[in-house]
Amino acid sequence: MSRPAVAFLILAHRGPEQLGRQARRLLSPRSSIYLHIDRKTQPALFSAIRAALPEHPHLHLLDRMSTPWASWNTVEAYLRGLQRILDEPEPPEHIVLFSGQDYLLRPVERIVDFLEPYAGQTFAATWPMPSDVYGPDGGMWRIRYWHTPIRRRRFRIPLPRPYPAGVRPYGGSAFMVLDRATAQSILDYTREHPEVPRFHHHVWAVDEHYLQTALNNCERSGVVIGEHLWHMEWTLGAAHPHTFTLDDFERLADSARNSSEAGGVSRAKLFARKFHDEVDSRILDRIDEELLSA
């Protein structure tokens, strides 16, 4: 079997059937999966997830850690996953940061073909802070104050903290496609500048800030293509993106075929977020039948 050119690094905590469906669509001779399941997932549910996953030599289960909502551990799980992938004898050229509620809008072979000409380049939607994306104060309150999540609620100490000297803060999507050299550069930056990850342990919504900051402050910042390859839809003021149903299919299909600004500008969307099969599995059925079976 050939060396995978693309690895999907997935963080998940639920949805056995949805994860099984996702895995079957993502795996191929040219692609692989590195799957992290939250350590807090109950044993019965974890067993159901294991049972739903296909047997495949390119499917790897990662060592588990607790990844509470909005916590540093979500970033730490991605960092550990990146290191695990880069430790392979022949690491893939691209690593896709994914979640269990993402799904493809194009067949995985077409995704690999799309990325192939961009060896040594990264796709990521990021922006310097402060940013109008985050409303009043440009979102600097997320960074300036010490935060921690407690039972899915935000707790903060309203005393400003000095940001690490010489570092420009960034925000952006948690979902990106990293080339191999840039993934290594992010890990190197994290190791060489321990004050930056240490500070970000208590940044709010840190998955929207740390990797983006490391990416834009490391030596590989010049290889970033500022396109977001995920179709996402947000309602003003909402804490989470829209969950797609069958009624949304035509918009998703259009994004898969044409340039789109849904969730950030890109020449076309390869993926979409988010889906929940207990809300509506019919949208996944139709994507499978009409977009992924060609």
Side-chain angles (χ1 to χ4, degrees):
M1 188 171 285
S2 61
R3 175 179 71 90
V6 176
F8 292 88
L9 174 51
I10 304 173
L11 268 57
H13 65 278
R14 56 155 302 279
E17 294 306 316
Q18 188 165 326
L19 285 174
R21 181 199 291 253
Q22 182 192 68
R24 288 188 292 274
R25 288 297 184 180
L26 290 175
L27 289 165
S28 80
R30 301 167 67 203
S31 58
S32 59
I33 288 175
Y34 292 78
L35 176 61
H36 177 274
I37 303 298
D38 190 334
R39 194 173 66 190
K40 300 190 309 300
T41 299
Q42 294 298 314
L45 179 54
F46 179 66
S47 295
I49 291 171
R50 297 269 319 246
L53 295 172
E55 293 287 337
H56 197 286
H58 289 171
L59 174 60
H60 311 276
L61 292 180
L62 299 174
D63 291 341
R64 300 167 66 194
M65 59 184 295
S66 176
T67 51
W69 172 76
S71 72
W72 168 260
N73 277 12
T74 58
V75 175
E76 182 68 24
Y78 276 131
L79 292 171
R80 293 185 185 185
L82 290 175
Q83 188 65 68
R84 168 71 173 80
I85 294 169
L86 294 174
D87 283 344
E88 293 285 5
E90 294 184 274
E93 178 55 38
H94 286 101
I95 303 169
V96 184
L97 303 192
F98 222 57
S99 89
Q101 291 190 280
D102 297 1
Y103 207 62
L104 308 77
L105 294 180
R106 295 186 183 184
V108 70
E109 287 292 334
R110 302 291 77 76
I111 291 170
V112 176
D113 289 342
F114 175 91
L115 292 173
E116 189 173 31
Y118 298 101
Q121 293 181 284
T122 280
F123 286 86
T126 65
W127 40 81
M129 298 292 290
S131 170
D132 292 342
V133 170
Y134 298 115
D137 187 36
M140 291 303 292
W141 61 269
R142 294 169 164 230
I143 295 172
R144 185 174 291 120
Y145 304 113
W146 187 99
H147 292 85
T148 192
I150 299 177
R151 296 182 179 179
R152 297 188 66 84
R153 298 176 67 88
R154 178 171 62 88
F155 175 78
R156 74 169 182 167
I157 297 175
L159 296 175
R161 303 185 295 160
Y163 198 72
V167 181
R168 179 71 187 270
Y170 276 76
S173 173
F175 305 101
M176 57 185 74
V177 180
L178 300 172
D179 69 275
R180 179 175 61 224
T182 300
Q184 183 62 62
S185 187
I186 288 172
L187 293 175
D188 292 343
Y189 182 88
T190 300
R191 184 182 65 256
E192 294 165 4
H193 301 274
E195 73 282 4
V196 183
R198 184 166 56 243
F199 181 93
H200 280 79
H201 274 59
H202 295 289
V203 164
W204 185 246
V206 64
D207 61 325
E208 296 180 10
H209 294 285
Y210 179 71
L211 291 177
Q212 299 77 1
T213 297
L215 173 63
N216 285 284
N217 284 273
C218 76
E219 63 180 14
R220 298 278 300 172
S221 59
V223 306
V224 177
I225 299 171
E227 297 185 27
H228 195 223
L229 301 180
W230 279 254
H231 180 119
M232 298 170 65
E233 298 179 6
W234 292 83
T235 301
L236 185 64
H240 303 286
H242 171 66
T243 298
F244 295 115
T245 68
L246 187 60
D247 293 339
D248 302 313
F249 175 78
E250 295 301 335
R251 295 197 309 283
L252 294 172
D254 184 68
S255 283
R257 296 165 180 149
N258 303 292
S259 61
S260 172
E261 297 185 3
V265 65
S266 70
R267 67 202 71 187
K269 301 296 184 181
L270 305 184
F271 316 108
R273 171 175 174 82
K274 67 181 187 173
F275 299 90
H276 192 327
D277 58 1
E278 293 179 9
V279 173
D280 192 345
S281 63
R282 298 172 300 166
I283 179 62
L284 297 174
D285 294 338
R286 192 166 178 193
I287 290 172
D288 282 351
E289 293 166 5
E290 299 189 33
L291 299 183
L292 305 185
S293 298

